Amino acid sequence: MDPLAHLLDGPRAHRAFALRVVMAPGWSIDVRDEAPLTVIAMMTGSAVLASDGVLHDLEPGDVALVRGPAPYSVSDDASRAPDAVIHPGQLCTTPTGEHLDVTLSHGVRTWGNSPLGQTSMLIGTYTSDAEVSRAVTAALPRVAVARSGQIDPALVALLGREITSDASGQGSTVDRLLDVLLVHTIRVWASEHPESARGWLAGRSDPLVARALELFHGDPGAAWTLDVLARRLNVSRATVASRFRATVGESPISYLTNWRMLLASEMLARPEATTSQIATEVGYGSPFALSTAFKRRFLQSPTEYRRRVYPASVPVRRRDVG
């Protein structure tokens, strides 16, 4: 299993914030929502996405992924001062603090400074780490753009229709379409920018490393060592170690440890999962061994992490290990 498959099998969009934005000339939005990941699909017109001092021109058909939580802006002119500020929880105000949520609302999940504006885009925001795998987002740059013609326009159009629909099941349909659009955009960006890919995305460029990643992701709970991995790949320890580090940027066992910790952190979102079950699934012999490794990675126990990040998943009756 590769991390993109994991994205769809594990925590994913759940009632994601999705909106159709329509703007007339003369606009600038300062986004400070601290969301881990946002998908922006340009429908009509053009825009400039500014992040960390870098400008990205967006045209119809382009799809951009923006990795948080740092702020960024979207406008029709990068030199224009912001007219609106998006805060955590998707609260929208003017730069001086006046609320704009109702003022700029134009129908079902449609927002902007004019209902007939020339520029329109779809915004889909993963609002918490529980919704999108951090292994996926960590492999992306701050902004990744798939250009027009590389993403099926029918997928984007369907997402747009669902966002502005009030039909039964609309929320779940938007979530799944957003997931699919995310995966397609990552695929396109990775194939177009192999030199910029990081982590597991970079590993896909080397067949040997790609196979090692498939083994790790397919069975993270196995008793992996460098010797075992080398035997499975039918190469020497030195070969797999050097090629893995050169491509992914860390040793195979370091990558595996980080991957196991990410899996464990996401499994805590499942109310029925005990630390004992999670320990077994990610390759630790006991809840105590898992807790020790988890504290080293996240500076808090699994129980503390669950209560902070996934409060809704904390069981009412369970003696958990922390």
Side-chain angles (χ1 to χ4, degrees):
M1 178 190 294
D2 69 28
L4 283 179
H6 169 75
L7 171 66
L8 293 178
D9 286 343
R12 52 188 178 177
H14 179 66
R15 300 186 183 279
F17 179 80
L19 201 65
R20 175 174 174 261
V21 175
V22 184
M23 306 298 284
W27 60 277
S28 179
I29 305 171
D30 184 14
V31 184
R32 297 181 173 274
D33 61 2
E34 301 179 4
L37 189 68
T38 297
V39 182
I40 302 174
M42 291 299 300
M43 303 294 284
T44 60
S46 61
V48 180
L49 194 162
S51 170
D52 301 331
V54 180
L55 304 182
H56 305 267
D57 294 322
L58 301 180
E59 301 295 336
D62 292 348
V63 179
L65 307 179
V66 186
R67 182 167 59 88
Y72 62 94
S73 67
V74 185
S75 65
D76 64 351
D77 183 343
S79 65
R80 189 183 304 280
D83 313 295
V85 181
I86 310 299
H87 303 274
Q90 302 305 318
L91 172 68
C92 179
T93 72
T94 66
T96 55
E98 290 85 5
H99 288 268
L100 289 174
D101 302 79
V102 176
T103 307
L104 300 184
S105 180
H106 302 291
V108 180
R109 283 172 288 278
T110 298
W111 181 94
N113 65 3
S114 170
L116 302 176
Q118 297 101 317
T119 299
S120 63
M121 66 193 88
L122 306 178
I123 309 292
T125 300
Y126 292 81
T127 57
S128 77
D129 288 334
E131 293 182 88
V132 59
S133 172
R134 276 163 293 174
V136 172
T137 56
L140 295 171
R142 181 79 167 93
V143 176
V145 180
R147 295 300 177 184
S148 177
Q150 298 177 311
I151 300 292
D152 190 339
L155 172 59
V156 178
L158 179 57
L159 175 61
R161 289 197 297 272
E162 286 297 324
I163 285 177
T164 55
S165 167
D166 58 0
S168 176
Q170 177 270 348
S172 295
T173 303
V174 167
D175 287 345
R176 300 292 71 77
L177 289 173
L178 184 60
D179 286 337
V180 174
L181 180 58
L182 171 61
V183 170
H184 278 241
T185 305
I186 292 175
R187 284 177 179 168
V188 167
W189 180 84
S191 65
E192 293 291 319
H193 302 86
E195 75 289 347
S196 300
R198 302 182 296 178
W200 60 267
L201 268 180
R204 292 156 61 94
S205 64
D206 183 321
L208 178 69
V209 176
R211 178 56 181 153
L213 290 170
E214 289 176 1
L215 291 171
F216 283 162
H217 286 270
D219 191 5
W224 292 109
T225 64
L226 189 56
D227 282 330
V228 171
L229 180 63
R231 286 198 298 271
R232 290 289 299 273
L233 297 172
N234 198 29
V235 296
S236 70
R237 286 166 42 102
T239 295
V240 67
S242 62
R243 285 173 61 173
F244 198 101
R245 181 179 289 280
T247 306
V248 177
E250 60 184 322
S251 72
I253 301 306
S254 174
Y255 177 90
L256 174 63
T257 299
N258 289 330
W259 174 246
R260 284 170 166 173
M261 289 298 97
L262 284 169
L263 283 178
S265 71
E266 293 175 352
M267 289 176 189
L268 290 168
R270 301 179 344 214
E272 74 282 2
T274 66
T275 50
S276 178
Q277 293 167 335
I278 294 173
T280 299
E281 289 190 43
V282 300
Y284 286 85
S286 71
F288 300 100
L290 171 65
S291 185
T292 299
F294 198 93
K295 286 179 181 178
R296 187 180 304 117
R297 173 68 172 79
F298 294 103
L299 304 181
Q300 56 189 163
S301 71
T303 299
E304 292 167 338
Y305 184 93
R306 170 179 261 158
R307 286 172 179 161
R308 181 177 65 84
V309 179
Y310 310 121
S313 75
V314 176
V316 176
R317 295 178 181 176
R318 179 182 298 166
R319 185 177 181 273
D320 221 336
V321 175

